[in-house]
Amino acid sequence: MDIRSEMLNMIRMHQFGYSLPQAFYKDPGFFQIDLEMIWYRDWLFAGHNCEIPKPGNYFTLQIGSYPVVVVRDRNGDIRAFHNACRHRGSRVCTQAKGTAAKLVCPYHQWTYDLDGKLLFARQMAEGFDTSAHSLKPVACETVAGYIFICLAKEPADFQPFRALMEPYFAPHNLLEAKVAHETTIIEEGNWKLVWENNRECYHCAANHPELCRTYPEAPNVTGVSGGADDPEMAAHWDKCEAAGLPARFHMHESGQFRAIRSPLLRDAVSYTMDGKPAVGRTLSDVRADHIGALMLFHYPTTWNHVLMDHAVTFRVTPIGPNQTAVTTKWLVHKDAVEGVDYDVERLTHVWTYTNDQDRQIVEENARGIESPAYEPGPYSELHEGGVIQFVEWYKTFMGSRLEGSDPRPLKSVA
């Protein structure tokens, strides 16, 4: 039996409500199939429009074997390209971010315009056709201040995600934001362990004292039960929607993305140690008090928390079968002044500690799964419904693609 058939058989035999077999979390062959079936085929969160506000601004990222550059062109449009020179394949942009009038390969100085067209190739033969050697494009879409890319030659329709996300995020005007701080941590564990840890707060009370000052541990906040039967949640939705803010739980039928607006604990308005605002200047022009946190996930790359005063966005990037990068960005209003409107340590304190605590949790989880004694264990139906949903989404997408078909839609719970 080849490895794809082995993986498909294990998906078919997997017991609902249990963690995955060991190979899914550590086997290099399984990890490679994850890359090919999900990471190289689905829409991936790359960054924010505000990170490249002017023509020539760019940033780079690495998805498995693919180096990618995202750039704003001369017309102000955001484009993405395979970051590989059409001469001999060297990376064209070698820095994490920067500004360039043109994209120049450092190896032999082949020069590309910001729209990817090859402008100059030094001392090539007479008749060399520059038009046939533009940078290869990567599908790129922007929505509500977010940039997504897709490495597939025929990307899936982006419109369903746009339709769900845009109404929730547009009022926060993240196009008028800036990144106040950014960190990347490396977690020594499989990307699915990072997501499983994120999809529940069963672990929060014992591990996240800073976050638990303001963030509710209720399963209907992190999970996928919806929360409509919770009077406090329903009242919060009514209040927000009366102010023009979409708030109710909504998950796409595929199970791949979900949005919800949830109240914070007590009178908290921000993720700070005292619950008070971290930024003196509000992020948007929303005219409402105590709007809580707007939360969105989109598998496999991002989860997000948008508050009245700032936003915190997370990007998951697989590095290897046992290594994952988690990039966190804190966004504030573009005119907010550090040292006047906000203090970086106060702004980032809660999630800096929470991220490191989650890193330790994932790494201990990964170490335990390495044991020959490991076998899949049962999730808590009450507290880990979000984890169950993630695993079922993963199984559905992987199983159908290994069978050569499109993912079967999951039943909508909206």
Side-chain angles (χ1 to χ4, degrees), residues 221-237:
V221 175
T222 303
V224 292
S225 61
D229 57 349
D230 179 344
E232 181 183 3
M233 184 73 81
H236 183 71
W237 291 345

Side-chain angles (χ1 to χ4, degrees), residues 53-187:
K54 299 178 181 180
N57 293 162
Y58 69 85
F59 64 81
T60 61
L61 62 160
Q62 183 81 27
I63 306 297
S65 298
Y66 291 91
V68 176
V69 58
V70 180
V71 61
R72 192 178 289 270
D73 70 16
R74 300 185 193 285
N75 295 322
D77 296 326
I78 295 176
R79 299 172 177 264
F81 301 100
H82 290 281
N83 189 14
C85 183
R86 295 298 308 282
H87 177 210
R88 287 169 56 185
S90 178
R91 285 195 307 159
V92 176
C93 297
T94 60
Q95 303 301 310
K97 58 188 65 177
T99 301
K102 299 180 178 65
L103 306 181
V104 182
C105 178
Y107 197 0
H108 300 96
Q109 290 72 57
W110 279 35
T111 302
Y112 302 87
D113 206 348
L114 301 178
D115 62 3
K117 293 178 181 177
L118 179 62
L119 297 175
F120 174 72
R122 186 167 58 91
Q123 298 180 355
M124 295 297 289
E126 184 177 351
F128 174 72
D129 185 4
T130 57
S131 67
H133 295 85
S134 300
L135 291 175
K136 292 185 177 181
V138 172
C140 183
E141 294 279 355
T142 63
V143 54
Y146 284 66
I147 303 168
F148 281 77
I149 62 170
C150 182
L151 295 163
K153 292 182 179 179
E154 297 182 4
D157 186 5
F158 189 75
Q159 183 56 30
F161 177 64
R162 183 188 300 280
L164 184 148
M165 176 194 176
E166 197 160 27
Y168 286 85
F169 280 74
H172 295 281
N173 199 19
L174 294 180
L175 289 168
E176 297 296 316
K178 67 178 180 181
V179 176
H181 191 66
E182 176 181 344
T183 64
T184 295
I185 61 173
I186 306 300
E187 302 188 13

Side-chain angles (χ1 to χ4, degrees), residues 205-217:
N207 294 277
H208 296 320
E210 295 82 10
L211 183 63
C212 285
R213 286 173 174 262
T214 56
Y215 183 82
E217 301 172 68

Side-chain angles (χ1 to χ4, degrees), residues 251-305:
M251 184 166 69
H252 187 256
E253 64 179 7
S254 68
Q256 190 168 24
F257 42 92
R258 176 219 71 172
I260 183 176
R261 200 180 296 272
S262 171
L264 300 182
L265 294 177
R266 296 174 286 278
D267 292 327
V269 297
S270 191
Y271 292 137
T272 52
M273 295 300 286
D274 59 9
K276 296 179 180 179
V279 186
R281 177 158 188 163
T282 58
L283 182 61
S284 64
D285 295 327
V286 172
R287 302 300 181 190
D289 295 323
H290 294 86
I291 63 172
L294 168 59
M295 292 177 285
L296 170 99
F297 70 66
H298 184 292
Y299 302 145
T301 42
T302 188
W303 65 85
N304 302 262
H305 296 253

